[in-house]
Amino acid sequence: MVDKKVQFNLPNQEELKNIKHIIMVMSGKGGVGKSTIAVNLAVALSLEGRKVGLMDIDMHGPNVMRMLGGTEKDHPYQVGEKIVPPEVNGVKVISVSQFVPESGKPIVWRGPIKTGTIKQFFNDIEWEELDYMIIDAPPGTGDEPLTVMQMLKKFDGAIIVTTPSEVSKDDVERAINFFTVMNKKVLGLVENMAYFECPSCHTKHYIFGKDGAKSLAEKYKLPILAEIPISEDIRINMDTGKPAAYFGKPEHVAPYVQLAKRVINEVEKDDKE
């Protein structure tokens, strides 16, 4: 659903020349915390001094606005012929949730409408100059990530989120192979919910198993970019719109900062001074 007050009539920006780096955050299955990783990566990159945009293409579960701290007032706005995305906690953001007036209203769309919306997000939004565009994709290898891969000439790579469980690993393998089929790079894996650290004795408990991402990383020769613990504090941060990468406890900020720095080291190594 698109707000009738906002008309998407800008000329196409074919190569998104004002955006230096484009990264997709993806998972093979739902429930692994992919949007949490995407939002906190965007915030952490911003804290590292980068100009960051966040595009939510998960049409049926658009959660990034809540997690980032957006409010009902944070809508794209029109200046002349330009549609400008709002900035929330240092990140420019666009999501279908900004155009759905009723909370909880389902997005009942087939593939062609979702594809058209993604094209609008790329072609008709004035992103201005960005160092990074982070794309939060829905689970799986369907219309949305396929549309992005077919549209983009410029793409730095994907970050694939998994948990240590065998079920998650099965689906993550499909996601890795999706990018192989599309001839696109995978930057590495993030293992979310990697462990629970007891607040009293600081013992680590591996609730969903151990070394799940490690086995995938070894099989596909990919780096593990970060291991994120299970934490009630992180969950509260994201539910209340206070991203853990900025508002969290130091031990929860650290892995997201590590993730951002590793991304920067990888994708900026060939940038011209």
Side-chain angles (χ1 to χ4, degrees):
M1 302 181 70
V2 177
D3 191 338
K4 294 180 180 179
K5 295 180 182 178
V6 178
Q7 301 298 320
F8 293 90
N9 56 5
L10 288 175
N12 288 350
Q13 304 170 50
E14 292 182 357
E15 297 190 19
L16 298 169
K17 59 184 178 181
N18 293 329
I19 300 174
K20 292 181 181 178
H21 302 289
I22 300 177
I23 295 169
M24 179 181 287
V25 178
M26 188 178 176
S27 65
K29 69 184 299 296
V32 300
K34 165 191 56 61
S35 293
T36 296
I37 302 301
V39 169
N40 281 300
L41 171 59
V43 171
L45 287 168
S46 177
L47 292 173
E48 291 294 313
R50 273 51 176 190
K51 295 179 181 179
V52 184
L54 177 60
M55 181 188 294
D56 183 2
I57 64 167
D58 190 344
M59 305 298 170
H60 303 294
N63 298 315
V64 302
M65 285 297 291
R66 172 188 286 276
M67 293 181 173
L68 192 58
T71 69
E72 294 179 356
K73 297 180 180 179
D74 292 311
H75 289 279
Y77 56 95
Q78 191 156 351
V79 179
E81 295 184 347
K82 296 181 179 181
I83 307 276
V84 182
E87 184 172 304
V88 181
N89 279 321
V91 176
K92 292 183 178 293
V93 59
I94 196 78
S95 170
V96 72
S97 66
Q98 293 163 310
F99 305 107
V100 180
E102 296 91 354
S103 176
K105 188 168 185 177
I107 308 297
V108 187
W109 289 349
R110 293 186 184 274
I113 300 178
K114 293 189 285 186
T115 297
T117 300
I118 293 168
K119 289 180 179 178
Q120 287 182 313
F121 282 178
F122 276 112
N123 294 333
D124 301 335
I125 299 295
E126 179 57 52
W127 289 102
E128 301 178 337
E129 291 190 6
L130 295 177
D131 295 306
Y132 288 90
M133 167 71 75
I134 304 300
I135 302 172
D136 181 32
T141 56
D143 287 324
E144 296 90 336
L146 181 60
T147 297
V148 172
M149 292 300 96
Q150 291 177 334
M151 283 185 63
L152 292 183
K153 296 178 181 179
K154 174 169 53 178
F155 181 72
D156 289 87
I159 294 171
I160 301 182
V161 182
T162 186
T163 65
S165 74
E166 292 298 321
V167 172
S168 179
K169 285 168 53 183
D170 288 346
D171 291 338
V172 165
E173 285 204 68
R174 296 184 179 95
I176 293 171
N177 288 318
F178 165 78
F179 287 101
T180 301
V181 169
M182 299 304 296
N183 197 28
K184 303 292 185 179
K185 184 177 181 178
V186 176
L187 296 174
L189 306 176
V190 171
E191 187 172 69
N192 199 27
M193 309 180 200
Y195 58 86
F196 171 75
E197 184 171 344
C198 175
S200 299
C201 66
H202 301 290
T203 301
K204 290 183 179 180
H205 301 274
Y206 297 91
I207 296 173
F208 292 110
K210 189 175 182 181
D211 293 334
K214 182 180 179 181
S215 63
L216 283 174
E218 290 174 349
K219 180 175 180 178
Y220 290 97
K221 296 180 172 56
L222 294 171
I224 298 175
L225 301 174
E227 295 179 341
I228 314 294
I230 301 172
S231 167
E232 182 182 18
D233 291 326
I234 292 177
R235 193 272 302 167
I236 292 171
N237 275 127
M238 306 315 293
D239 281 352
T240 57
K242 296 180 178 179
Y246 183 77
F247 296 96
K249 294 179 178 179
E251 62 268 30
H252 299 148
V253 172
Y256 295 117
V257 171
Q258 172 192 321
L259 174 59
K261 288 183 175 181
R262 295 196 69 177
V263 167
I264 288 169
N265 289 339
E266 175 61 26
V267 305
E268 294 185 18
K269 60 186 179 184
D270 295 325
D271 287 359
K272 294 181 180 180
E273 296 294 335

